[in-house]
Amino acid sequence: MKKVKYEKLEDVQQRLLNEAEKVMNTAYNPYSNFYVGAALLAQNGMIITGSNVENAAYGSTVCAERAAIFRANAMGIRNFSKVAIIAKGKNFDTDKVTAPCGNCRQVLYEFAQVSGRNLEIIMATTKMDKIVIATIEELLPLGFGPKDLGIDMKKYK
Ligand code: THU
């Protein structure tokens, strides 16, 4: 896990954060008023984005990270190497980075194994004045995934 300045990021990491920043404005968030954007980098170079979608039955809410993954899956894409996450409140900027929730870590772990990679997770405050880069193994140590069930993921990649 490391802290990095925006200017020191690779071009592709900057692009992912910029795409996540744009898509967070599409959040459907009448209950929390919290905006989250996620941008995945696929193996083929495509960037697939998602934002949080809330529900009157609060538990039915889908976070930005999972929205992006499910969207990618529906496009036939399951092979990722990086994901960027950014968030803001309706009337405030975040002053610490927003990290994926437990459910999203689990789903990211699944597709990290499908991708055969220790997915990189780039998290930024609203103004991108704090940026943290971690791997899914760091955020979900000793995670449970398809490999534990003896599943051969190659055909799902
Ligand atoms: N949320 C995300 O979309 N991703 C996260 O990493 C944290 C939480 C959303 C879910 C809900 O719509 C709102 O933020 C407040 O929890």
Side-chain angles (χ1 to χ4, degrees), residues 124-135:
T125 53
T126 312
K127 293 221 165 79
M128 300 196 203
D129 50 353
K130 285 181 195 150
I131 297 170
V132 174
I133 301 182
T135 65

Side-chain angles (χ1 to χ4, degrees), residues 28-29 32 34 36 51-54 61-65 85 98-101 104:
Y28 172 71
N29 57 3
S32 73
F34 196 60
V36 187
S51 58
N52 49 324
V53 180
E54 298 187 348
T61 291
V62 177
C63 295
E65 297 87 328
I85 303 160
T98 298
C101 79
C104 288

Side-chain angles (χ1 to χ4, degrees), residues 4-112:
V4 213
K5 295 251 173 289
Y6 181 83
E7 304 74 46
K8 299 274 182 197
L9 292 173
E10 300 162 9
D11 283 358
V12 70
Q13 293 171 322
Q14 292 184 351
R15 266 201 291 135
L16 286 170
L17 277 175
N18 295 336
E19 291 301 319
E21 181 183 34
K22 269 192 260 166
V23 76
M24 81 174 150
N25 295 305
T26 67
Y28 172 71
N29 57 3
Y31 309 104
S32 73
N33 285 313
F34 196 60
Y35 293 79
V36 187
L40 284 164
L41 180 65
Q43 174 60 27
N44 65 6
M46 268 184 83
I47 293 177
I48 299 113
T49 59
S51 58
N52 49 324
V53 180
E54 298 187 348
N55 193 277
Y58 297 172
S60 300
T61 291
V62 177
C63 295
E65 297 87 328
R66 277 174 291 152
I69 287 178
F70 299 160
R71 183 181 191 184
N73 181 65
M75 295 163 73
I77 298 170
R78 299 194 189 112
N79 194 347
F80 313 112
S81 57
K82 299 176 193 293
V83 58
I85 303 160
I86 189 165
K88 66 178 179 187
K90 190 177 182 191
N91 301 311
F92 66 92
D93 291 336
T94 55
D95 58 8
K96 62 185 254 315
V97 301
T98 298
C101 79
N103 283 322
C104 288
R105 289 178 199 207
Q106 184 65 35
V107 173
L108 288 166
Y109 193 83
E110 177 85 18
F111 287 93

